[in-house]
Amino acid sequence: MEIAQTPRLRLRELDNGDVPALAAILADPEVMRYSLGGVHDEAQTRHFIAWCRASYAEHGLGPWALVDTASGELAGFCGLSHDTIDGVQEVHLGYRLATRFWGRGLATEAARRAVALGFTAHRLASLVAIIEPAHGASRRVAEKVGFRDAASTAFHGREVRVYRLTASAWGAPEPGSGIASL
């Protein structure tokens, strides 16, 4: 099922037809360097997609497939997922792209659309992004979308920074930009 579009991407639900392409992406050590689960094989990718599909059914959201509109290729995923952080139920933004799609601003484009869906279609009060301190590229994506550094914590045994964006702050002009962030 199609969820949304951006100028260069289609967001849709992941399905079992995505297993080969997504398994190749999630098997790449560079893509998975900061992943809690490390690289994934095909069976782990199938399990991930099943978890995504259960999240769609239960919450109406989850990690969505990112399809490059120019090539039709699966570029990765981006979406919103429920998780517990420091004993509090949160909805977090997550994204992974194949290395060949890095450096083009696609993660930011997809993240902006996922955040917009979270605040408009799902009427969420706030979102978080969970980022390892050394993951500068992911931090920059979150900051471009409007997330601000909130706190350090342990998450699944790893030290992370939790960035937060509230619905009231979303869409407000970024400091010094003179324009609204999507």
Side-chain angles (χ1 to χ4, degrees):
M1 176 165 115
E2 182 142 337
I3 304 300
Q5 288 193 340
T6 72
R8 299 177 292 168
L9 298 166
R10 260 186 336 108
L11 284 72
R12 63 165 173 77
E13 291 182 356
L14 285 159
D15 62 41
N16 287 330
D18 294 315
V19 169
L22 187 59
I25 294 168
L26 300 183
D28 184 336
E30 278 300 302
V31 171
M32 301 302 282
R33 178 186 301 178
Y34 299 101
S35 167
L36 294 172
V39 297
H40 282 40
D41 60 19
E42 186 174 310
Q44 290 168 307
T45 301
R46 284 185 188 285
H47 184 267
F48 173 72
I49 290 173
W51 176 83
C52 292
R53 298 205 55 80
S55 182
Y56 306 150
E58 183 176 350
H59 303 290
L61 49 80
W64 298 303
L66 298 177
V67 178
D68 177 57
T69 55
S71 68
E73 289 181 76
L74 183 71
F77 68 81
C78 178
L80 306 172
S81 304
H82 287 262
D83 215 325
T84 303
I85 304 165
D86 292 333
V88 177
Q89 183 72 11
E90 301 276 9
V91 177
H92 73 90
L93 172 69
Y95 36 86
R96 295 252 189 283
L97 270 75
T99 56
R100 69 184 171 280
F101 292 98
W102 289 5
R104 298 194 222 169
L106 293 173
T108 302
E109 187 174 310
R112 282 189 174 128
R113 190 67 182 112
V115 165
L117 289 167
F119 289 135
T120 58
H122 296 280
R123 318 281 293 159
L124 299 171
S126 71
L127 295 167
V128 296
I130 306 161
I131 302 171
E132 287 196 33
H135 198 343
S138 188
R139 185 188 71 246
R140 285 187 295 278
V141 168
E143 289 173 345
K144 286 177 188 176
V145 174
F147 286 83
R148 298 296 170 246
D149 198 4
S152 288
T153 192
F155 183 70
H156 295 278
R158 292 171 98 159
E159 186 65 26
V160 297
R161 298 291 298 167
V162 177
Y163 292 73
R164 183 170 300 281
L165 177 59
T166 63
S168 60
W170 174 72
E174 295 196 22
S177 71
I179 59 171
S181 60
L182 177 66

